[in-house]
Amino acid sequence: MAEDNSAWKEALKSESEFRDYITNYFKEHEELTGSYDIPSYYEHYTVRLDSHKGIIITLVTGVQATGGESNLPLPFKQKEVISIEDFRKLILHKKFADQSQSLADVFQTVAGIPSTNNDSKDDSKK
């Protein structure tokens, strides 16, 4: 995703500007998805905006099959709902260390997915 990293950070300064930014972001992107995969484990997340509930982050985690394993546990699905303002406050209090982080990077961090440049991806869908 080609995103102006300074635009969302500038919007953080105001509750109404951040709400407008997030609302417009999700008007352009139906959802934001990302994943983290290693040979034995995976995490996939989806972020959507619901006009009544707020930001909905869905995280699916599971164990990768290696060889002839047939009794793997089912994937675990978690759903977090957070208001846009609570999300803004979380970002402000978290003080993300890397000033070049995109909004997608922040959603990945909030979802609890480790950041690796090669393994994570941003598949924003329009």
Side-chain angles (χ1 to χ4, degrees), residues 6 11 16 25 35 45 55 60 67 77-78 82 88 93 120 125:
S6 62
S16 62
Y25 179 88
S35 64
Y45 72 92
I55 297 170
V60 177
K77 184 176 183 177
Q78 288 179 274
I82 187 169
R88 183 180 82 91
H93 296 328
S120 66
K125 295 182 181 176

Side-chain angles (χ1 to χ4, degrees), residues 8-22 55 82-96 103 106-107 110:
W8 74 268
K9 291 175 186 171
E10 187 64 30
L12 277 173
K13 296 177 183 176
S14 161
E15 180 179 348
S16 62
E17 286 181 33
F18 190 69
R19 183 180 54 249
D20 291 346
Y21 182 88
I22 292 295
I55 297 170
I82 187 169
S83 73
I84 294 173
E85 177 57 10
D86 286 345
F87 181 62
R88 183 180 82 91
K89 289 177 181 176
L90 179 66
I91 293 170
L92 289 171
H93 296 328
K94 183 78 172 176
K95 307 260 189 242
F96 291 94
L103 185 59
V106 174
F107 278 123
V110 170

Side-chain angles (χ1 to χ4, degrees), residues 105-118:
D105 296 331
V106 174
F107 278 123
Q108 178 175 323
T109 302
V110 170
I113 295 181
S115 178
T116 59
N117 293 336
N118 296 337

Side-chain angles (χ1 to χ4, degrees), residues 52-101:
H52 301 290
K53 295 180 182 177
I55 297 170
I56 301 172
I57 302 172
T58 304
L59 180 64
V60 177
T61 59
V63 178
Q64 306 272 30
T66 55
E69 297 177 38
S70 61
N71 293 332
L72 293 175
L74 294 174
F76 180 69
K77 184 176 183 177
Q78 288 179 274
K79 188 179 279 189
E80 287 288 329
V81 179
I82 187 169
S83 73
I84 294 173
E85 177 57 10
D86 286 345
F87 181 62
R88 183 180 82 91
K89 289 177 181 176
L90 179 66
I91 293 170
L92 289 171
H93 296 328
K94 183 78 172 176
K95 307 260 189 242
F96 291 94
D98 184 356
Q99 294 301 313
S100 66
Q101 281 190 314

